[in-house]
Amino acid sequence: VSQSRYDGIKYLDSMNSDDAALIKWLNTNIVGTPTIMEAHGDAYREFTRISMHTGLPTVLGWEHHSRQRGLGDESVRARKKAIMTVYASDDIEQIKRALLAHKVDFVVVGTVERATYRRLDPTKFDAHPEVFTEVASFGNSALYVTYFSKYNQAYGSGLTP
């Protein structure tokens, strides 16, 4: 059996080359273990693709697996609500509270987020530079650093030169 048949990043590249490029950028340019936010949804689907291919922690991975590792129902609900708030709300103060509560360093805005959160207005990230700064963009996939993150160039950087 060919090794390439089981290469997840090759599969992702064929299905969503923008996300694959974003993952490659993260794996090349990020030092340390920042927390990322990406779309949440059913296990064994396209969700948590960034976390899976980078090894970086995400706010909420596959729900059942998170519960198996000891995350309680209340925490799962709070994390789902925070993710929904960041992607679907227009209330920037609520968004900031959600980001801070879960110490989110980076927010992913890609095709999975756009499809999952129908109320997602991707222009809000660029419209609030006091909260989000785009650090990488590949087609329909963008990565934003949050205003309080140690990876934000204004506060010291975890990005490699």
Side-chain angles (χ1 to χ4, degrees):
V1 176
S2 168
Q3 178 77 17
S4 65
R5 283 183 59 190
Y6 300 107
D7 187 335
I9 198 70
K10 282 186 182 179
Y11 171 77
L12 182 63
D13 190 38
S14 72
M15 298 302 291
N16 188 333
S17 60
D18 297 341
D19 279 355
L22 183 66
I23 288 163
K24 182 178 180 182
W25 187 92
L26 280 162
N27 285 332
T28 302
N29 293 288
I30 300 299
V31 176
T33 53
T35 298
I36 60 169
M37 181 175 280
E38 60 185 315
H40 171 266
D42 296 337
Y44 304 104
R45 305 248 347 252
E46 64 275 18
F47 303 101
T48 70
R49 76 238 183 254
I50 307 298
S51 180
M52 280 191 288
H53 289 287
T54 62
L56 296 175
T58 188
V59 174
L60 182 60
W62 292 347
E63 199 170 320
H64 180 69
H65 290 175
S66 296
R67 284 193 169 104
Q68 283 180 317
R69 290 177 178 85
L71 193 63
D73 289 343
E74 187 175 316
S75 186
V76 167
R77 282 190 297 276
R79 290 166 187 252
K80 284 167 112 174
K81 182 179 179 183
I83 295 166
M84 178 65 78
T85 297
V86 171
Y87 287 115
S89 176
D90 293 326
D91 185 332
I92 200 67
E93 291 306 315
Q94 278 188 336
I95 291 169
K96 286 165 58 174
R97 285 193 296 276
L99 293 169
L100 280 167
H102 299 286
K103 299 179 175 81
V104 176
D105 292 293
F106 293 99
V107 177
V108 176
V109 179
T111 54
V112 175
E113 288 71 27
R114 293 168 204 262
T116 304
Y117 305 101
R118 301 280 183 207
R119 290 184 40 216
L120 170 62
D121 175 7
T123 63
K124 77 176 170 190
F125 297 96
D126 292 322
H128 290 283
E130 75 281 11
V131 180
F132 303 102
T133 303
E134 185 178 289
V135 292
S137 180
F138 303 92
N140 286 320
S141 296
L143 183 70
Y144 294 87
V145 66
T146 61
Y147 70 102
F148 61 85
S149 173
K150 66 184 175 197
Y151 293 86
N152 186 324
Q153 299 248 339
Y155 298 101
S157 178
L159 300 171
T160 57

